[in-house]
Amino acid sequence: MRRGIGVGAIRKERLTQERYRGKGNEIQENQFEQMTKQMEVFKTNLEEFATKYKNEIRKNPEFRKQFQEMCSSIGVDPLSSGKGFWSVLGIGDFYYELAVQIVEVCLATTAKNGGLISLDELRTKLIKARGQSKTHQDISKDDLIRAAKKLRIFGSGFNVIPMGRDRYMVQSVPGELSMDHSTILQLAEKNSAHVSNSQACKELNWEEERGKKALEHMVNQGLAWIDSQHPQEIQYYFPSLYTACINSNA
Amino acid sequence: MPEVDMDWPWQYNFPPFYTLQQHPETRAKQVDAWKSLILNYCEQTKTYTIDVRETENPLFNNTTINRKLDGGVITSILSELQRTGNACPIDKNKHRWEIYWHTIEEWAAIIYDFVNERGLQNTVVTLYELTQSEDNKELMFYGMHREVLIKVLRELENQRKCELILDDDVEGAKFF
């Protein structure tokens, strides 16, 4: 018999395994330590960078977006840190301020659009409202989406609805909108703010009942208006997508 | 767009504006928009009376988008305006309505201010002088319908600010 089956052989094997394990742990710890160090260095650099380019971050929306992306890739959220280093930058404040202004614009336009507004209209109105302030800052759509997403902590009252092709709508009244509803909004957007059930069903390959349910839900949410004087069939209109409504100040 | 000199609100060309909305909140917005449109239209065009049966009225009939507001809906909106003192039916069937973009009380104050400004107290001013005289063309109440004017003067009479004279030979008011 060549294989050691005696007590000595077993002991020897166990010893070897233990040594392997010990070495493995050592290596792991080393790596972890190194990574931690790297992260520390990176974080310090990021903080230095942020301090150095504070004004640039505040003023340049493109720069701000890239900075945000960089932060989120290492798990730092300048928006959620009201205390400590990041508060010095005032980046969180910038977004909180935006969030408050978003709420203000949404409230002011709810009367006409039922609580649904395109991000473009929101941006135009918000910039106009900020106009008076001395320190002018460019506000990008990305800034608005970030700020609006923060408003989700208030429950389902605030929602950012993707409409495809870098288009978004912000919903400021409670009430869930499903994929079906945003699909209908996208259709209406392409069709001068209105759509009929048969048109929706034809375009989207839906059963009549599905379209009817989705459209009626939006009427019941106060987002769509019914036009029953169309020669063919009932049309559902969305003031939030209707150009003349968007451009009016009333 | 009908040939009326008027700043139409965005809703005027919005087709569902002419269908009474079923959703309560949407309907409330719609009715409010109609109420202010009616008052603005009447003020800008100096329209003192509306006949609900008159289907060609550009206010309720938008030929550009081929939409019109149903007579029954018009009547219910005018009834809402009546509650705030901005309209009043002048026949039993509620077909014809007087529209007051200023309420009778507001008109009374406006006319009384004018009388004081011009120092016309204690003299008799004819109805014609008040609302038809070329000199008063710039005034808010220039061209006011006789029936509306009489209601306004009756209001002032109740406030003991004038005495209405409606004789065959003189129609006017003496202001105090």
Side-chain angles (χ1 to χ4, degrees):
Chain A
M1 281 277 170
R2 293 202 181 259
R3 273 170 55 195
I5 49 163
V7 175
I10 294 176
R11 239 182 230 156
K12 202 181 161 193
E13 204 182 311
R14 196 178 285 163
L15 203 70
T16 318
Q17 275 182 353
E18 260 167 33
R19 278 198 189 131
Y20 275 134
R21 202 179 294 143
K23 196 69 191 166
N25 283 344
E26 202 181 307
I27 293 172
Q28 252 184 4
E29 265 166 37
N30 265 338
Q31 278 184 338
F32 186 71
E33 205 177 304
Q34 267 189 341
M35 290 234 307
T36 318
K37 263 188 197 156
Q38 276 180 353
M39 280 310 267
E40 283 294 315
V41 172
F42 189 63
K43 222 176 147 179
T44 321
N45 282 342
L46 186 69
E47 288 177 359
E48 267 173 29
F49 176 86
T51 324
K52 194 171 166 193
Y53 294 105
K54 187 177 160 182
N55 285 334
E56 195 63 22
I57 290 168
R58 290 183 65 96
K59 276 198 179 137
N60 184 340
E62 189 52 36
F63 206 84
R64 193 155 55 231
K65 187 183 168 197
Q66 283 171 3
F67 177 71
Q68 282 279 0
E69 279 163 3
M70 202 155 70
C71 288
S72 69
S73 69
I74 56 154
V76 173
D77 184 2
L79 268 67
S80 68
S81 325
K83 285 180 193 151
F85 168 76
W86 294 98
S87 68
V88 181
L89 282 178
I91 289 179
D93 290 347
F94 168 74
Y95 284 100
Y96 289 132
E97 190 185 304
L98 269 193
V100 171
Q101 286 162 344
I102 288 174
V103 174
E104 282 172 355
V105 172
C106 287
L107 277 182
T109 53
T110 302
K112 60 175 195 179
N113 59 27
L116 193 62
I117 187 168
S118 74
L119 196 64
D120 287 318
E121 183 187 355
L122 177 63
R123 182 167 173 265
T124 316
K125 294 220 153 73
L126 190 139
I127 289 173
K128 210 173 153 194
R130 284 171 72 94
Q132 270 82 15
S133 98
K134 282 172 226 157
T135 50
H136 176 73
Q137 285 169 281
D138 273 336
I139 310 294
S140 71
K141 286 210 244 177
D142 181 74
D143 291 329
L144 290 178
I145 293 171
R146 273 179 211 284
K149 280 182 175 164
K150 286 281 147 194
L151 290 167
R152 276 207 201 125
I153 52 166
F154 296 120
S156 69
F158 255 92
N159 247 323
V160 180
I161 306 162
M163 298 270 286
R165 294 177 291 114
D166 194 34
R167 308 261 307 116
Y168 297 89
M169 299 211 78
V170 177
Q171 187 195 7
S172 58
V173 288
E176 291 293 313
L177 285 190
S178 70
M179 277 303 288
D180 279 9
H181 304 128
S182 50
T183 314
I184 281 185
L185 282 174
Q186 287 175 47
L187 200 60
E189 192 192 23
K190 282 183 266 173
N191 192 42
S192 321
H194 66 100
V195 71
S196 72
N197 190 21
S198 67
Q199 195 184 353
C201 293
K202 200 177 141 204
E203 293 260 344
L204 305 168
N205 222 348
W206 286 359
E207 296 291 318
E208 199 194 319
E209 204 46 39
R210 184 174 174 187
K212 204 177 156 204
K213 205 178 143 201
L215 286 165
E216 275 173 6
H217 177 79
M218 297 178 91
V219 171
N220 292 331
Q221 297 281 312
L223 302 177
W225 288 47
I226 291 172
D227 169 32
S228 57
Q229 290 180 47
H230 188 270
Q232 274 92 44
E233 58 174 330
I234 290 180
Q235 299 287 324
Y236 296 81
Y237 275 82
F238 297 89
S240 51
L241 300 171
Y242 189 70
T243 315
C245 173
I246 292 170
N247 294 336
S248 81
N249 291 317
Chain B
M1 195 79 66
E3 286 169 39
V4 175
D5 192 16
M6 167 80 192
D7 303 324
W8 298 100
W10 68 269
Q11 289 96 332
Y12 187 69
N13 287 315
F14 191 54
F17 193 46
Y18 300 82
T19 299
L20 187 66
Q21 299 299 308
Q22 298 306 312
H23 180 62
E25 278 171 39
T26 309
R27 184 170 60 231
K29 286 175 199 164
Q30 182 187 23
V31 170
D32 277 348
W34 268 115
K35 277 157 65 179
S36 47
L37 172 57
I38 292 171
L39 294 182
N40 283 336
Y41 175 86
C42 288
E43 180 169 14
Q44 288 189 37
T45 58
K46 301 257 180 192
T47 303
Y48 285 86
T49 57
I50 283 178
D51 192 323
V52 174
R53 294 163 300 179
E54 204 185 289
T55 52
E56 298 310 307
N57 187 346
L59 175 56
F60 301 116
N61 183 0
N62 186 336
T63 48
T64 315
I65 58 167
N66 217 353
R67 295 287 185 279
K68 56 172 78 170
L69 195 62
D70 175 73
V73 179
I74 301 175
T75 310
S76 70
I77 293 171
L78 292 177
S79 305
E80 291 257 334
L81 281 175
Q82 186 181 5
R83 277 201 250 157
T84 48
N86 292 103
C88 185
I90 43 181
D91 62 352
K92 227 175 38 203
N93 296 324
K94 298 195 173 181
H95 287 145
R96 298 184 61 239
W97 291 71
E98 276 175 355
I99 307 294
Y100 318 121
W101 51 95
H102 293 298
T103 62
I104 296 293
E105 292 77 14
E106 285 164 1
W107 275 130
I110 290 166
I111 288 185
Y112 194 66
D113 280 351
F114 162 80
V115 166
N116 279 325
E117 249 172 56
R118 296 280 174 102
L120 294 174
Q121 299 98 324
N122 298 315
T123 52
V124 173
V125 185
T126 65
L127 301 191
Y128 182 87
E129 281 172 318
L130 266 177
T131 57
Q132 312 291 323
S133 158
E134 290 289 310
D135 302 342
N136 293 349
K137 230 173 179 167
E138 298 307 312
L139 295 173
M140 286 156 96
F141 48 85
Y142 176 76
M144 183 185 271
H145 279 199
R146 182 177 175 276
E147 291 74 21
V148 178
L149 179 60
I150 287 174
K151 282 186 186 175
V152 172
L153 294 175
R154 287 239 186 271
E155 170 65 26
L156 282 175
E157 207 170 34
N158 286 338
Q159 297 174 14
R160 298 178 194 285
K161 286 177 179 162
C162 88
E163 186 192 338
L164 188 60
I165 305 157
L166 293 177
D167 293 340
D168 284 345
D169 47 339
V170 187
E171 284 194 330
K174 189 177 177 187
F175 292 93
F176 310 121

